[in-house]
Amino acid sequence: MKKRLAPPPTTLLDKYVGDDFQPLYSTTVRVSGGEAAHGRASGIARSDDGNLELALRLPAALGGPGGGTNPEQLFAAGFAACFHGALKLLATRAGIALEDATVDAAVTFGRDPVDGLYTLMAEIRIDLPRVPRATAEELIRNTERICPYAKMARQGIVCVVALVR
């Protein structure tokens, strides 16, 4: 019998006390170059557990053919899903019903005026039907404080870049 999907427990909101980063989950996605030998233009992205396998394509807006997903869409999906999940956990703990709550993440790839190269911008829009505005605003502020994607966008992230061989 297939296990029914359920939201995670609100105990995920419990504070961690410790001196070091405590890993809870890790995944690896490998991108190969595909037909054009270019990960962004024709890459294939595969997760280590096999649950993700998709064709990457340069969007038409950047001169590509489109027809596949791109890194900005993947980042936007992760950001929106994480924010929605954190919002739901906080609402559940507070006894607030979030019927039909939606989170839209818009990610824009563009030129960086600081170094003349590239950067990303993100905009998160939340719709909480039937939730009083003051309550919704407080939930969103608190979600920004705990959502790892929002924290990363605001504070940066530890990032190690290393040559394997």
Side-chain angles (χ1 to χ4, degrees):
M1 175 177 247
K2 186 176 178 181
K3 187 175 179 180
R4 184 168 159 76
L5 295 177
T10 58
T11 55
L12 286 178
L13 295 172
D14 294 348
K15 297 276 184 171
Y16 164 68
V17 178
D19 294 329
D20 297 317
F21 175 76
Q22 181 188 35
L24 299 176
Y25 169 75
S26 185
T27 187
T28 301
V29 173
R30 174 173 282 174
V31 172
S32 57
E35 181 181 333
H38 188 281
R40 189 163 173 64
S42 66
I44 304 296
R46 289 183 184 95
S47 64
D48 56 354
D49 64 4
N51 287 322
L52 174 76
E53 184 168 340
L54 50 85
L56 299 171
R57 295 296 178 265
L58 195 62
L62 295 177
T69 195
N70 59 66
E72 292 75 29
Q73 290 172 329
L74 294 170
F75 182 70
F79 201 155
C82 188
F83 201 95
H84 190 285
L87 183 72
K88 240 346 222 183
L89 280 174
L90 286 173
T92 299
R93 185 170 71 179
I96 300 167
L98 291 187
E99 305 282 327
D100 303 321
T102 60
V103 175
D104 294 336
V107 172
T108 303
F109 173 83
R111 289 297 198 162
D112 186 343
V114 175
D115 64 10
L117 296 173
Y118 304 98
T119 193
L120 295 175
M121 292 179 63
E123 183 175 338
I124 307 301
R125 293 188 174 270
I126 301 102
D127 186 19
L128 302 177
R130 295 175 295 285
V131 176
R133 185 164 192 89
T135 303
E137 287 173 347
E138 182 179 357
L139 266 175
I140 291 166
R141 276 193 312 276
N142 289 331
T143 301
E144 282 185 276
R145 292 182 183 111
I146 68 165
C147 171
Y149 277 75
K151 288 170 70 175
M152 176 182 62
R154 186 177 60 255
Q155 301 170 355
I157 184 174
V158 173
C159 180
V160 176
V161 178
L163 178 62
V164 177
R165 50 178 147 154

